Amino acid sequence: MLVTVFSSGCSLPGLGSAQGGADSVRIASLNTTESQVLANIISELVKHETNYQTEIVDNLGSAPLMHQALVRNDADIQAASYTGTELTTNLNLPPTKNAKKATQTVRREVKQRYDQTDFPSYGYENLFAFMVTQKDAKKYKLETVSDLSKVADKFKFGVDSNWINRKGDGYQAFQQYYHMSFAQAYPMQIGLVYSALASGKMNVVLGYSTDGRVDSYHLKQLKDNRHFFPPYEASMIVNNSLLRKHPELKPLLHRLDGKIDVHTMRSLNYQVDDQLLEPKVVAQKFLKKNNYFRGDK
């Protein structure tokens, strides 16, 4: 269905100026803080260490849109790819809880189907994570998702509206897997779940493990002790046409392999969401702090 829709020749949202050029590297980014920070890290690294110009194809609204941007050659690099999302959403394959198998499958399939390279992980996973306030965690002795079974029947649950009806790893599958249901489930925008929990409007929410607001609101993240969620290793995906045309970019991009752990990513997100710094500024600070700039620019 997506191919039919997007092959009409119409521009995708965010692609209006993404024309590209012989010396231009185009980086696709979701409209999330994390994706924009990663896109700017790649952009600033390429600009500083090469003579290429970069362009961020910004604010794409979903993983399929970002995927299609590369397939249509409207962009060269997908800044943020997550194994679980690639498997089920972009590759239409069944989810797996085996992280190694998921990575190998994504790497093989994007190469065979789309002539793309899935780079090694940046060094972290962006997992779905159940969260409660520190006060309730202490009051009810909540450390794991299984611990929620003691209070689920009186807890209000706030969750991303895209997740609640999702097949495979959505709410229905969760209820069957963990054998629990919450008193009420409230679908909402993902950006609102953290403040809803902190203000007491919700008792438990499902957020993202790398979101800077986890620290902003001092929330307690519960361990998925029965491993319900599939792996979401974060990496970039690159069109091989770019790497063949500019082979020197490959070792440069590999310098980001395994260099961003979950605490670093959460801190980078926090600087944007809480301290209101621009993603570009946060990216430059990260690259300078970690001695990525070797050239004279």
Side-chain angles (χ1 to χ4, degrees):
M1 178 61 74
L2 285 170
V3 173
T4 302
V5 172
F6 294 139
S7 63
S8 63
C10 297
S11 294
L12 297 170
L15 300 184
S17 60
Q19 302 301 317
D23 296 325
S24 178
V25 177
R26 302 161 300 170
I27 305 155
S29 170
L30 290 171
N31 56 359
T32 63
T33 296
E34 184 164 312
S35 186
Q36 292 180 20
V37 168
L38 292 171
N40 276 278
I41 286 175
I42 296 168
S43 174
E44 293 302 307
L45 182 62
V46 171
K47 280 196 300 185
H48 194 275
E49 298 296 283
T50 73
N51 291 321
Y52 302 130
Q53 299 298 311
T54 62
E55 180 179 359
I56 296 180
V57 183
D58 210 357
N59 290 318
L60 298 177
S62 68
L65 277 177
M66 194 159 60
H67 168 70
Q68 285 296 323
L70 265 71
V71 172
R72 289 166 51 99
N73 198 33
D74 287 324
D76 305 300
I77 299 174
Q78 180 176 327
S81 164
Y82 304 98
T83 47
T85 303
E86 289 300 321
L87 274 179
T88 60
T89 303
N90 291 339
L91 296 170
N92 197 28
L93 293 171
T96 174
K97 300 183 190 304
N98 184 314
K100 185 177 180 181
K101 181 181 178 182
T103 298
Q104 290 174 339
T105 301
V106 169
R107 194 160 292 165
R108 181 187 67 243
E109 292 296 321
V110 299
K111 180 180 180 181
Q112 292 179 352
R113 296 190 196 186
Y114 307 115
D115 190 24
Q116 297 171 336
T117 296
D118 176 33
F119 272 59
S121 170
Y122 289 114
Y124 73 93
E125 286 188 81
N126 187 357
L127 297 167
F128 281 114
F130 283 88
M131 302 174 193
V132 296
T133 62
Q134 295 287 349
K135 180 180 178 182
D136 276 352
K138 185 176 181 180
K139 179 178 180 180
Y140 298 109
K141 296 182 171 53
L142 304 177
E143 294 290 336
T144 70
V145 174
S146 288
D147 291 338
L148 285 170
S149 63
K150 298 179 289 187
V151 291
D153 61 349
K154 56 185 177 184
F155 266 22
K156 291 182 291 186
F157 177 40
V159 61
D160 185 348
S161 53
N162 291 323
W163 181 80
I164 200 156
N165 294 317
R166 190 157 131 168
K167 294 182 179 178
D169 63 350
Y171 188 39
Q172 183 178 358
F174 167 80
Q175 290 172 296
Q176 295 171 350
Y177 195 84
Y178 265 103
H179 305 294
M180 75 171 84
S181 298
F182 296 102
Q184 291 176 289
Y186 295 87
M188 57 180 66
Q189 292 182 1
I190 185 64
L192 299 177
V193 300
Y194 308 98
S195 58
L197 178 60
S199 66
K201 293 179 180 176
M202 294 293 142
N203 305 108
V204 58
V205 299
L206 184 67
Y208 293 112
S209 60
T210 61
D211 198 301
R213 286 165 286 195
V214 177
D215 289 335
S216 299
Y217 293 115
H218 306 291
L219 303 179
K220 172 75 173 182
Q221 182 176 317
L222 303 180
K223 182 179 180 182
D224 179 16
N225 56 302
R226 294 191 61 204
H227 307 289
F228 169 72
F229 291 109
Y232 287 93
E233 286 283 351
S235 66
M236 75 176 87
I237 289 180
V238 183
N239 277 344
N240 287 334
S241 56
L242 177 75
L243 300 177
R244 285 192 290 268
K245 189 176 181 181
H246 306 295
E248 70 277 17
L249 287 176
K250 191 169 185 177
L252 178 64
L253 296 175
H254 272 304
R255 286 168 57 189
L256 293 169
D257 295 352
K259 296 300 194 299
I260 304 175
D261 63 22
V262 66
H263 300 291
T264 300
M265 193 67 245
R266 190 183 289 176
S267 173
L268 297 174
N269 288 332
Y270 178 83
Q271 292 174 54
V272 175
D273 290 330
D274 190 81
Q275 300 180 340
L276 305 181
L277 297 178
E278 291 291 331
K280 181 178 180 179
V281 174
V282 173
Q284 290 173 335
K285 288 176 59 180
F286 167 80
L287 291 167
K288 289 178 181 176
K289 179 180 178 182
N290 292 281
N291 302 312
Y292 273 96
F293 293 153
R294 297 173 179 172
D296 296 329
K297 291 181 182 177

